[in-house]
Amino acid sequence: MLIRFDNVCRQFPGPHGTVTALDTVSLGLEPGEFVGVCGPSGCGKSTLLMVAGALLHPTSGQVFIDGCEVYAAPAAERRRRRAATVGFVFQQFHLLPYLTVLENILAPAVALPSADAGRRAEELVARFGLTERRDHLPAQLSTGEKQRTALARALLNRPKLLLADEPTGNLDAANGQAVLDALAEFAAAGGGVLMVTHDQDAVQRAGRVLRMERGRLV
Amino acid sequence: MRIWHMLLREGRFRAGSALLGGAAVALAVAVWAGNLVVLRGHDARTALALDRARQQMEKETTELQDGIRRATLKLSFNLVILPEGQDLRAWHSDGEIRGTLPEAYVRQLAESGIATIQHLLPIVQRRLRWEEKGRRIILVGTRGEVAQLHSSPLKPLVQPVPPGTIVLGYELHSSLRLNVGDKVTLLGREFTVHRCHEVRGSQDDITAWIDLNEAQELLGLQGQVHAILALECMCAGLPGADKFRAEVRRILPHTDVIELGSKALARAESRLKAAAEMEAALKREEAARAELRQARERVAGVLVPGALLAGMFAVAALAAANARSRGPELAVLRALGWRERHVLALLLGRYGLVAIPAALAGCGLGVASGLGLAAWLDPVALPGPAPVLTALEWAGALAAAWAATLVATWLPALQAARRDPAPALTAE
């Protein structure tokens, strides 16, 4: 199993008392699965993704990534496992504005250096149709190109798991479909995709859909 | 893809913030370098001014000493040794010396080895009537000076009067129409006029000088003298006179030693006083320059740490603002698996890289403004190039600026590197 949640809770202190973002969530994701998580705003979807990406410590419960209980591991091991196993795609793209397309795709190589990172980045540039844009800055790209660049960056280190947070939220239909195609392709190749979204079209592309309300999977 | 590559790209992308940080570093370094150059310029100009003043003082002191020497030489004598209890009023008014000293005293004094006397001149002197010419004159018997036996012979200061000859003062030879070579009779003895003096405006104008032995015979003072003139006793300076008097009284009992040539002494005293004034003025100038330097050091003591702290504060504020504005970017890097030290290097390196060229520019700016300010504060042209910074100081300034920049950016960078990335990445 690529990822497993066992009774995971995550609470935040709020101005009117504790807010429970995740309430005894349990789920599992196998290799090759494309899971969509939908629900209203504030239901805890993004928190689920942060916990799944080993970025947000749960208040209770256990999270296993590729068989490793990540929050029981030291911070360095958690970071290494995240770099090697997980790729992120965000709604806001979060590209580094001063780096070119190729350099943005190469950014994960700082965390996990490899000899073939350059060649791999060039492959991804070609695969996502960014060859003519490889030396452009994000400000010079369309939103679709930005998201494709972000997707390519997420795939540089050959992760086993892709975590996508509203990946089509800022895209038109054509670009949204292209991104969903890429995610589906990744899952088809044996990777796992956990996507949170409002987009009903996107949800329909997922092999399994989970619905969240008030921090619970329903 | 390397971090330094990202640093350069990011610095260029947000050049305004980087330039502001660089300006803060450059200004702090410039204040330090400028103050250093101003203080060094002050030191160089102080050394130059004091050196010139010292040279001027030495020159003027030499001239004064030469003046003293010439003044005492011109008056021919400085001290006179008289019999103890001599009525000075009678001596000054009549040129009369009533008591006598043994002539042997002269040799005794000459052989005593008093180093401050260069010339000794025994005389007999009496105011009398020149019956043959019907004139009141002062008759002086002199034999020239007695050589100091303990030292090498000097050129005689007063020429002796050869036996059988007479030297006449101006009033005598001019009123009696006497010339060199004329024969005259004095107290029944014939003399040939040996020399006629020019006008002196003193008792010398009515004085006649003859050989000492002949004067002693004419006046019945064989083996006696009225006084011993000690000439050029001032060679060792004014304090030598007191010492000399004490020594003479010890060697020659029952004598008084009187200072003559008060005009010369007054001149010498005024000149020595002037020399002392010059020395005091030099010391005052030294003290004033030292005080001025202390004042400038105090200013530098406030300005330099103030500029350093202000520069560090500005860089820290800019670094904090930069880190805050890059929150999502740094969170993404953490999500991509970047180590904390990678993020730290990205933030620290931003201003660390800027600090080196900024410090170089600051050194240049500081040296240029320091040179200008030093010249404005002390408008004294230096003979050579003005002192600036050594190569080691330039290198030290770069290293210190770099280190201070890292210290200033450390806290905001560390806070940003350790910040929880999740909130910045959460879309909801």
Side-chain angles (χ1 to χ4, degrees), chain A residues 197-213:
Chain A
T197 183
H198 284 106
D199 187 349
Q200 287 305 312
D201 290 340
V203 170
Q204 286 171 7
R205 294 293 301 271
R208 179 157 61 109
V209 177
L210 303 174
R211 183 162 184 83
M212 279 193 84
E213 281 181 14

Side-chain angles (χ1 to χ4, degrees), chain B residues 315-328:
Chain B
V315 170
L318 286 166
N322 177 260
R324 200 166 39 248
S325 71
R326 294 169 68 185

Side-chain angles (χ1 to χ4, degrees), chain B residues 135-422:
Chain B
R135 304 291 293 270
R136 297 281 301 175
I137 65 168
I138 297 171
L139 179 65
V140 174
T142 178
R143 70 168 184 217
E145 67 184 277
V146 175
Q148 293 233 77
L149 300 180
H150 66 277
S151 62
S152 57
L154 294 168
K155 183 182 177 185
L157 193 65
V158 177
Q159 294 299 319
V161 181
T165 65
I166 189 168
V167 174
L168 297 172
Y170 178 78
E171 202 281 332
L172 294 179
H173 71 76
S174 62
S175 62
L176 297 173
R177 301 182 184 282
L178 293 172
N179 295 306
V180 174
D182 290 349
K183 302 286 185 189
V184 293
T185 304
L186 173 65
L187 300 177
R189 185 176 294 196
E190 188 176 80
F191 294 92
T192 304
V193 177
H194 179 65
R195 193 160 56 243
C196 294
H197 284 313
E198 292 297 314
V199 66
R200 288 179 175 174
S202 67
Q203 286 188 341
D204 284 1
D205 291 341
I206 58 164
T207 299
W209 290 269
I210 61 173
D211 174 64
L212 178 66
N213 288 335
E214 289 175 336
Q216 285 170 325
E217 285 169 16
L218 288 173
L219 300 174
L221 292 169
Q222 286 86 349
Q224 300 291 308
V225 294
H226 282 120
I228 303 167
L229 302 179
L231 306 182
E232 283 192 27
C233 299
M234 295 301 297
C235 299
L238 277 179
D242 292 335
K243 190 179 170 190
F244 173 74
R245 273 197 294 270
E247 285 193 40
V248 169
R249 285 198 191 100
R250 182 178 56 77
I251 296 162
L252 308 178
H254 309 299
T255 58
D256 282 337
V257 181
I258 309 296
E259 288 180 34
L260 289 180
S262 58
K263 200 190 287 183
L265 286 175
R267 284 182 199 160
E269 279 172 355
S270 69
R271 283 169 170 139
L272 288 175
K273 193 176 171 188
E277 274 296 314
M278 280 190 284
E279 181 76 33
L282 186 64
K283 283 195 165 58
R284 280 198 300 274
E285 176 69 12
E286 276 179 346
R289 298 290 302 187
E291 197 177 333
L292 186 59
R293 192 187 201 284
Q294 283 177 347
R296 286 176 181 168
E297 275 178 2
R298 279 196 295 274
V299 171
V302 173
L303 273 183
V304 173
L308 179 65
L309 286 177
M312 287 178 74
F313 179 79
V315 170
L318 286 166
N322 177 260
R324 200 166 39 248
S325 71
R326 294 169 68 185
E329 172 197 328
L330 300 177
V332 164
L333 295 176
R334 296 297 302 278
L336 295 177
W338 276 42
R339 291 177 175 85
E340 187 179 299
R341 65 182 166 89
H342 287 144
V343 178
L344 204 57
L346 198 61
L347 294 169
L348 289 177
R350 181 171 206 273
Y351 293 102
L353 272 182
V354 170
I356 303 291
L360 261 176
C363 275
L365 178 69
V367 166
S369 54
L371 287 174
L373 189 60
W376 180 71
L377 289 170
D378 288 320
V380 176
L382 293 172
V388 287
L389 301 182
T390 63
L392 193 64
E393 284 165 341
W394 280 80
L398 300 193
W402 184 74
T405 303
L406 291 191
V407 168
T409 51
W410 181 260
L411 194 60
L414 194 64
Q415 282 178 335
R418 288 183 173 173
R419 192 169 295 139
D420 184 1

Side-chain angles (χ1 to χ4, degrees), chain B residues 83-84 97-102 126 221 224-227 254:
Chain B
E84 192 175 32
I97 302 171
R98 299 211 164 75
T100 59
L101 299 168
R126 180 166 292 171
L221 292 169
Q224 300 291 308
V225 294
H226 282 120
H254 309 299

Side-chain angles (χ1 to χ4, degrees), chain B residues 45-208:
Chain B
R45 284 172 174 83
T46 296
L48 181 69
L50 292 180
D51 197 39
R52 282 179 181 165
R54 204 168 283 120
Q55 282 177 3
Q56 180 67 18
M57 191 193 75
E58 282 169 5
K59 186 184 165 202
E60 289 184 13
T61 303
T62 304
E63 285 174 0
L64 285 171
Q65 285 172 345
D66 193 45
I68 292 169
R69 187 184 60 75
R70 278 189 276 109
T72 51
L73 267 176
K74 195 174 178 183
L75 291 177
S76 302
F77 57 86
N78 301 94
L79 300 171
V80 59
I81 302 162
L82 297 167
E84 192 175 32
Q86 168 64 38
D87 181 351
L88 294 178
R89 191 182 58 80
W91 178 48
H92 286 304
S93 61
D94 303 334
E96 191 77 26
I97 302 171
R98 299 211 164 75
T100 59
L101 299 168
E103 190 180 353
Y105 269 18
V106 183
R107 180 156 293 275
Q108 197 175 328
L109 190 58
E111 291 172 354
S112 67
I114 297 177
T116 53
I117 309 173
Q118 295 200 19
H119 309 280
L120 289 172
L121 194 66
I123 60 167
V124 292
Q125 177 176 326
R126 180 166 292 171
R127 182 178 283 266
L128 49 78
R129 183 171 177 77
W130 190 355
E131 295 293 347
E132 289 84 349
K133 298 292 184 187
R135 304 291 293 270
R136 297 281 301 175
I137 65 168
I138 297 171
L139 179 65
V140 174
T142 178
R143 70 168 184 217
E145 67 184 277
V146 175
Q148 293 233 77
L149 300 180
H150 66 277
S151 62
S152 57
L154 294 168
K155 183 182 177 185
L157 193 65
V158 177
Q159 294 299 319
V161 181
T165 65
I166 189 168
V167 174
L168 297 172
Y170 178 78
E171 202 281 332
L172 294 179
H173 71 76
S174 62
S175 62
L176 297 173
R177 301 182 184 282
L178 293 172
N179 295 306
V180 174
D182 290 349
K183 302 286 185 189
V184 293
T185 304
L186 173 65
L187 300 177
R189 185 176 294 196
E190 188 176 80
F191 294 92
T192 304
V193 177
H194 179 65
R195 193 160 56 243
C196 294
H197 284 313
E198 292 297 314
V199 66
R200 288 179 175 174
S202 67
Q203 286 188 341
D204 284 1
D205 291 341
I206 58 164
T207 299

Side-chain angles (χ1 to χ4, degrees), chain A:
Chain A
M1 193 166 285
L2 275 178
I3 189 161
R4 198 179 92 206
F5 277 46
D6 285 348
N7 297 316
V8 172
C9 289
R10 173 66 205 194
Q11 295 174 324
F12 295 100
H16 306 294
T18 304
V19 176
T20 302
L22 294 180
D23 189 0
T24 56
V25 172
S26 295
L27 67 85
L29 192 149
E30 296 289 347
E33 255 196 307
F34 185 170
V35 175
V37 180
C38 62
S41 291
C43 71
K45 300 191 298 293
S46 293
T47 302
L48 176 77
L49 218 56
M50 291 297 111
V51 173
L55 287 170
L56 189 62
H57 212 291
T59 309
S60 63
Q62 293 173 306
V63 178
F64 296 88
I65 296 177
D66 202 19
C68 171
E69 189 185 351
V70 286
Y71 292 106
E77 170 59 19
R78 197 158 62 240
R79 180 204 62 77
R80 195 199 61 75
R81 188 161 288 272
R82 182 168 64 242
T85 311
V86 182
F88 287 92
V89 181
F90 304 99
Q91 181 182 359
Q92 304 297 333
F93 322 125
H94 291 314
L95 298 176
L96 304 184
Y98 47 86
L99 296 183
T100 64
V101 166
L102 184 66
E103 289 164 346
N104 262 291
I105 294 170
L106 277 168
V110 174
L112 205 67
S114 74
D116 71 338
R119 188 182 52 77
R120 168 82 172 149
E122 294 285 4
E123 281 176 11
L124 290 167
V125 164
R127 178 177 156 193
F128 287 101
L130 296 166
T131 305
E132 290 183 4
R133 298 291 197 180
R134 69 190 290 278
D135 296 322
H136 285 65
L137 294 175
Q140 299 166 312
L141 303 178
S142 67
T143 50
E145 288 167 335
K146 286 177 186 172
Q147 192 60 298
R148 278 183 275 152
T149 304
L151 198 53
R153 181 180 66 186
L155 294 173
L156 182 80
N157 286 339
R158 295 188 172 86
K160 293 178 179 175
L161 175 65
L162 269 183
L163 301 176
D165 189 357
E166 302 280 6
T168 58
N170 285 335
L171 302 180
D172 58 29
N175 278 307
Q177 282 304 315
V179 169
L180 292 171
D181 287 346
L183 293 177
E185 191 181 325
F186 177 75
V193 177
L194 183 62
M195 177 181 70
V196 299
T197 183
H198 284 106
D199 187 349
Q200 287 305 312
D201 290 340
V203 170
Q204 286 171 7
R205 294 293 301 271
R208 179 157 61 109
V209 177
L210 303 174
R211 183 162 184 83
M212 279 193 84
E213 281 181 14
R214 295 179 189 170
R216 284 176 168 270
L217 289 175
V218 292

